[in-house]
Amino acid sequence: MIGKKMQEAINEQIKHELESAYLYLSMAAYFHSEGLDGMAQWMRAQTQEELVHAMKFFDHIRDRDGRVELLPLAQPKREWTSPLQAFQEAYQHEQFISSKIDGLVKLAAAEGDHPASILLQWFVTEQVEEEASTSKVAQMLERIGDSGHGLVMLDRELGTRSFTASTTEGGTE
Ligand code: OFO
């Protein structure tokens, strides 16, 4: 059975993962409104990944005879000044999530909670991917600058991203 402290911390993390999904869905809506459907598609796939992350934590509590408690979600921001700003914020958000995963890793070690430690190893690796993928797009957008042609090309490329359940097993785009 999962301990009380770990259960509370994982319930908090479920909220963070759902807020990530909410944020990226809001970014998808922003990109659609700007006619950047490829970037919107990238964010829609990212939203689905975040839901999978939340459910991994949900199932961990359930499998260990704990009790999931869903906490209120913050309303996400809805406008950005540019695609670059949106992806920079996505990168910053992933760094924030990585810090939360680090905190959980430390708590699991302090509590001697080996099942949680094993689950969290997957998330440590996943966060490396999450930071890399958002930072890579932000860097490309920086390089593109004001080039409309560059933006159209990148939008097309990002639109090829699709979500499959297996994407979450070995990593992410
Ligand atoms: Fe769940 O990794 Fe992004 O937030």
Side-chain angles (χ1 to χ4, degrees):
M1 187 170 183
I2 192 164
K4 191 169 177 289
K5 261 193 190 168
M6 203 66 220
Q7 176 176 292
E8 271 176 19
I10 292 182
N11 272 320
E12 188 71 28
Q13 189 63 27
I14 291 173
K15 169 182 138 83
H16 290 313
E17 299 293 345
L18 291 175
E19 283 181 343
S20 298
Y22 224 30
L23 174 65
Y24 296 136
L25 193 57
S26 187
M27 287 184 178
Y30 159 72
F31 284 124
H32 277 307
S33 76
E34 293 289 310
L36 294 165
D37 290 341
M39 293 189 189
Q41 169 56 27
W42 195 96
M43 285 296 172
R44 290 169 72 127
Q46 187 62 33
T47 298
Q48 293 201 271
E49 281 209 2
E50 299 301 349
L51 294 176
V52 170
H53 294 172
M55 292 311 294
K56 275 183 186 277
F57 283 121
F58 183 107
D59 285 338
H60 186 77
I61 292 181
R62 184 205 60 182
D63 289 345
R64 298 180 66 198
D65 207 15
R67 183 67 169 91
V68 170
E69 187 187 353
L70 296 176
L71 302 169
L73 304 183
Q75 184 173 11
K77 184 171 165 176
R78 53 169 282 181
E79 296 294 345
W80 287 268
T81 56
S82 64
L84 173 61
Q85 191 199 38
F87 271 96
Q88 281 174 333
E89 285 186 20
Y91 177 42
Q92 284 161 11
H93 182 74
E94 287 308 326
Q95 290 174 297
F96 165 74
I97 294 295
S98 296
S99 74
K100 292 291 163 191
I101 297 293
D102 283 353
L104 286 173
V105 167
K106 285 180 191 137
L107 179 63
E111 296 280 300
D113 186 334
H114 302 301
S117 291
I118 290 168
L119 172 74
L120 287 163
Q121 288 314 304
W122 184 90
F123 278 95
V124 169
T125 307
E126 179 70 0
Q127 280 312 119
V128 173
E129 291 273 346
E130 296 278 89
E131 287 192 31
S133 62
T134 46
S135 144
K136 192 175 110 188
V137 179
Q139 278 175 10
M140 285 192 280
L141 283 165
E142 258 173 20
R143 235 172 258 149
I144 284 170
D146 290 334
S147 157
H149 179 68
L151 195 63
V152 168
M153 297 298 286
L154 181 60
D155 187 60
R156 196 171 297 164
E157 186 191 324
L158 295 182
T160 61
R161 180 181 182 185
S162 62
F163 172 82
T164 52
S166 62
T167 337
T168 58
E169 294 306 322
T172 61
E173 275 297 301

PDB file of all heavy atoms in Angstrom, residues 47-61:
ATOM      1  N   THR A  47      -0.662  17.267 -25.774  1.00  0.00           N
ATOM      2  CA  THR A  47      -1.762  17.206 -24.799  1.00  0.00           C
ATOM      3  C   THR A  47      -2.070  15.747 -24.450  1.00  0.00           C
ATOM      4  O   THR A  47      -2.229  15.386 -23.275  1.00  0.00           O
ATOM      5  CB  THR A  47      -3.024  17.871 -25.395  1.00  0.00           C
ATOM      6  OG1 THR A  47      -2.736  19.239 -25.651  1.00  0.00           O
ATOM      7  CG2 THR A  47      -4.213  17.766 -24.458  1.00  0.00           C
ATOM      8  N   GLN A  48      -2.123  14.920 -25.483  1.00  0.00           N
ATOM      9  CA  GLN A  48      -2.456  13.512 -25.233  1.00  0.00           C
ATOM     10  C   GLN A  48      -1.371  12.808 -24.428  1.00  0.00           C
ATOM     11  O   GLN A  48      -1.660  11.965 -23.580  1.00  0.00           O
ATOM     12  CB  GLN A  48      -2.698  12.812 -26.556  1.00  0.00           C
ATOM     13  CG  GLN A  48      -3.944  13.370 -27.219  1.00  0.00           C
ATOM     14  CD  GLN A  48      -4.503  12.400 -28.218  1.00  0.00           C
ATOM     15  OE1 GLN A  48      -4.120  12.431 -29.376  1.00  0.00           O
ATOM     16  NE2 GLN A  48      -5.384  11.546 -27.794  1.00  0.00           N
ATOM     17  N   GLU A  49      -0.124  13.195 -24.686  1.00  0.00           N
ATOM     18  CA  GLU A  49       0.964  12.615 -23.881  1.00  0.00           C
ATOM     19  C   GLU A  49       0.810  12.974 -22.420  1.00  0.00           C
ATOM     20  O   GLU A  49       1.051  12.157 -21.530  1.00  0.00           O
ATOM     21  CB  GLU A  49       2.311  13.141 -24.369  1.00  0.00           C
ATOM     22  CG  GLU A  49       2.765  12.429 -25.591  1.00  0.00           C
ATOM     23  CD  GLU A  49       4.275  12.370 -25.697  1.00  0.00           C
ATOM     24  OE1 GLU A  49       4.984  12.860 -24.796  1.00  0.00           O
ATOM     25  OE2 GLU A  49       4.717  11.830 -26.705  1.00  0.00           O
ATOM     26  N   GLU A  50       0.434  14.212 -22.181  1.00  0.00           N
ATOM     27  CA  GLU A  50       0.289  14.648 -20.786  1.00  0.00           C
ATOM     28  C   GLU A  50      -0.833  13.884 -20.080  1.00  0.00           C
ATOM     29  O   GLU A  50      -0.735  13.577 -18.895  1.00  0.00           O
ATOM     30  CB  GLU A  50       0.037  16.155 -20.708  1.00  0.00           C
ATOM     31  CG  GLU A  50       1.145  17.013 -21.278  1.00  0.00           C
ATOM     32  CD  GLU A  50       2.501  16.816 -20.607  1.00  0.00           C
ATOM     33  OE1 GLU A  50       2.569  16.159 -19.554  1.00  0.00           O
ATOM     34  OE2 GLU A  50       3.496  17.321 -21.151  1.00  0.00           O
ATOM     35  N   LEU A  51      -1.882  13.582 -20.834  1.00  0.00           N
ATOM     36  CA  LEU A  51      -2.974  12.799 -20.229  1.00  0.00           C
ATOM     37  C   LEU A  51      -2.468  11.401 -19.872  1.00  0.00           C
ATOM     38  O   LEU A  51      -2.832  10.851 -18.825  1.00  0.00           O
ATOM     39  CB  LEU A  51      -4.163  12.715 -21.193  1.00  0.00           C
ATOM     40  CG  LEU A  51      -4.863  14.063 -21.475  1.00  0.00           C
ATOM     41  CD1 LEU A  51      -5.961  13.887 -22.523  1.00  0.00           C
ATOM     42  CD2 LEU A  51      -5.456  14.654 -20.192  1.00  0.00           C
ATOM     43  N   VAL A  52      -1.608  10.847 -20.725  1.00  0.00           N
ATOM     44  CA  VAL A  52      -1.033   9.531 -20.418  1.00  0.00           C
ATOM     45  C   VAL A  52      -0.168   9.627 -19.157  1.00  0.00           C
ATOM     46  O   VAL A  52      -0.212   8.747 -18.290  1.00  0.00           O
ATOM     47  CB  VAL A  52      -0.216   8.995 -21.619  1.00  0.00           C
ATOM     48  CG1 VAL A  52       0.591   7.764 -21.229  1.00  0.00           C
ATOM     49  CG2 VAL A  52      -1.131   8.666 -22.790  1.00  0.00           C
ATOM     50  N   HIS A  53       0.598  10.707 -19.045  1.00  0.00           N
ATOM     51  CA  HIS A  53       1.419  10.881 -17.840  1.00  0.00           C
ATOM     52  C   HIS A  53       0.533  10.912 -16.586  1.00  0.00           C
ATOM     53  O   HIS A  53       0.830  10.276 -15.584  1.00  0.00           O
ATOM     54  CB  HIS A  53       2.214  12.198 -17.908  1.00  0.00           C
ATOM     55  CG  HIS A  53       3.245  12.230 -19.000  1.00  0.00           C
ATOM     56  ND1 HIS A  53       3.948  13.359 -19.331  1.00  0.00           N
ATOM     57  CD2 HIS A  53       3.673  11.256 -19.846  1.00  0.00           C
ATOM     58  CE1 HIS A  53       4.786  13.081 -20.320  1.00  0.00           C
ATOM     59  NE2 HIS A  53       4.633  11.820 -20.663  1.00  0.00           N
ATOM     60  N   ALA A  54      -0.539  11.695 -16.670  1.00  0.00           N
ATOM     61  CA  ALA A  54      -1.443  11.791 -15.511  1.00  0.00           C
ATOM     62  C   ALA A  54      -1.997  10.408 -15.161  1.00  0.00           C
ATOM     63  O   ALA A  54      -2.063  10.033 -13.982  1.00  0.00           O
ATOM     64  CB  ALA A  54      -2.586  12.759 -15.821  1.00  0.00           C
ATOM     65  N   MET A  55      -2.349   9.637 -16.192  1.00  0.00           N
ATOM     66  CA  MET A  55      -2.953   8.328 -15.932  1.00  0.00           C
ATOM     67  C   MET A  55      -1.945   7.315 -15.378  1.00  0.00           C
ATOM     68  O   MET A  55      -2.309   6.405 -14.642  1.00  0.00           O
ATOM     69  CB  MET A  55      -3.630   7.785 -17.197  1.00  0.00           C
ATOM     70  CG  MET A  55      -4.858   8.568 -17.619  1.00  0.00           C
ATOM     71  SD  MET A  55      -6.045   8.872 -16.272  1.00  0.00           S
ATOM     72  CE  MET A  55      -6.586   7.198 -15.907  1.00  0.00           C
ATOM     73  N   LYS A  56      -0.675   7.484 -15.729  1.00  0.00           N
ATOM     74  CA  LYS A  56       0.350   6.596 -15.144  1.00  0.00           C
ATOM     75  C   LYS A  56       0.396   6.803 -13.628  1.00  0.00           C
ATOM     76  O   LYS A  56       0.484   5.843 -12.865  1.00  0.00           O
ATOM     77  CB  LYS A  56       1.733   6.903 -15.732  1.00  0.00           C
ATOM     78  CG  LYS A  56       2.025   6.196 -17.051  1.00  0.00           C
ATOM     79  CD  LYS A  56       3.447   6.518 -17.512  1.00  0.00           C
ATOM     80  CE  LYS A  56       3.714   5.956 -18.895  1.00  0.00           C
ATOM     81  NZ  LYS A  56       4.095   4.539 -18.883  1.00  0.00           N
ATOM     82  N   PHE A  57       0.320   8.054 -13.205  1.00  0.00           N
ATOM     83  CA  PHE A  57       0.320   8.327 -11.758  1.00  0.00           C
ATOM     84  C   PHE A  57      -1.002   7.882 -11.122  1.00  0.00           C
ATOM     85  O   PHE A  57      -1.020   7.335 -10.015  1.00  0.00           O
ATOM     86  CB  PHE A  57       0.554   9.823 -11.511  1.00  0.00           C
ATOM     87  CG  PHE A  57       1.989  10.245 -11.681  1.00  0.00           C
ATOM     88  CD1 PHE A  57       2.356  11.213 -12.610  1.00  0.00           C
ATOM     89  CD2 PHE A  57       2.994   9.675 -10.906  1.00  0.00           C
ATOM     90  CE1 PHE A  57       3.690  11.615 -12.752  1.00  0.00           C
ATOM     91  CE2 PHE A  57       4.325  10.060 -11.040  1.00  0.00           C
ATOM     92  CZ  PHE A  57       4.667  11.037 -11.972  1.00  0.00           C
ATOM     93  N   PHE A  58      -2.087   8.122 -11.835  1.00  0.00           N
ATOM     94  CA  PHE A  58      -3.419   7.702 -11.364  1.00  0.00           C
ATOM     95  C   PHE A  58      -3.414   6.189 -11.078  1.00  0.00           C
ATOM     96  O   PHE A  58      -3.811   5.724  -9.998  1.00  0.00           O
ATOM     97  CB  PHE A  58      -4.438   8.051 -12.458  1.00  0.00           C
ATOM     98  CG  PHE A  58      -5.877   7.778 -12.147  1.00  0.00           C
ATOM     99  CD1 PHE A  58      -6.760   8.828 -11.885  1.00  0.00           C
ATOM    100  CD2 PHE A  58      -6.392   6.485 -12.169  1.00  0.00           C
ATOM    101  CE1 PHE A  58      -8.114   8.585 -11.634  1.00  0.00           C
ATOM    102  CE2 PHE A  58      -7.730   6.232 -11.919  1.00  0.00           C
ATOM    103  CZ  PHE A  58      -8.601   7.289 -11.648  1.00  0.00           C
ATOM    104  N   ASP A  59      -2.919   5.430 -12.061  1.00  0.00           N
ATOM    105  CA  ASP A  59      -2.921   3.963 -11.918  1.00  0.00           C
ATOM    106  C   ASP A  59      -1.956   3.491 -10.835  1.00  0.00           C
ATOM    107  O   ASP A  59      -2.185   2.465 -10.198  1.00  0.00           O
ATOM    108  CB  ASP A  59      -2.578   3.301 -13.253  1.00  0.00           C
ATOM    109  CG  ASP A  59      -3.750   3.373 -14.225  1.00  0.00           C
ATOM    110  OD1 ASP A  59      -4.905   3.535 -13.767  1.00  0.00           O
ATOM    111  OD2 ASP A  59      -3.516   3.275 -15.447  1.00  0.00           O
ATOM    112  N   HIS A  60      -0.883   4.238 -10.639  1.00  0.00           N
ATOM    113  CA  HIS A  60       0.067   3.858  -9.599  1.00  0.00           C
ATOM    114  C   HIS A  60      -0.620   3.912  -8.229  1.00  0.00           C
ATOM    115  O   HIS A  60      -0.491   2.985  -7.424  1.00  0.00           O
ATOM    116  CB  HIS A  60       1.279   4.803  -9.631  1.00  0.00           C
ATOM    117  CG  HIS A  60       2.370   4.395  -8.701  1.00  0.00           C
ATOM    118  ND1 HIS A  60       3.242   3.362  -8.973  1.00  0.00           N
ATOM    119  CD2 HIS A  60       2.728   4.880  -7.473  1.00  0.00           C
ATOM    120  CE1 HIS A  60       4.088   3.225  -7.961  1.00  0.00           C
ATOM    121  NE2 HIS A  60       3.797   4.128  -7.039  1.00  0.00           N
ATOM    122  N   ILE A  61      -1.350   4.975  -7.988  1.00  0.00           N
ATOM    123  CA  ILE A  61      -2.071   5.088  -6.700  1.00  0.00           C
ATOM    124  C   ILE A  61      -3.120   3.982  -6.601  1.00  0.00           C
ATOM    125  O   ILE A  61      -3.218   3.289  -5.580  1.00  0.00           O
ATOM    126  CB  ILE A  61      -2.730   6.484  -6.565  1.00  0.00           C
ATOM    127  CG1 ILE A  61      -1.653   7.567  -6.428  1.00  0.00           C
ATOM    128  CG2 ILE A  61      -3.676   6.516  -5.370  1.00  0.00           C
ATOM    129  CD1 ILE A  61      -2.205   8.986  -6.267  1.00  0.00           C
TER     130      ILE A  61
END
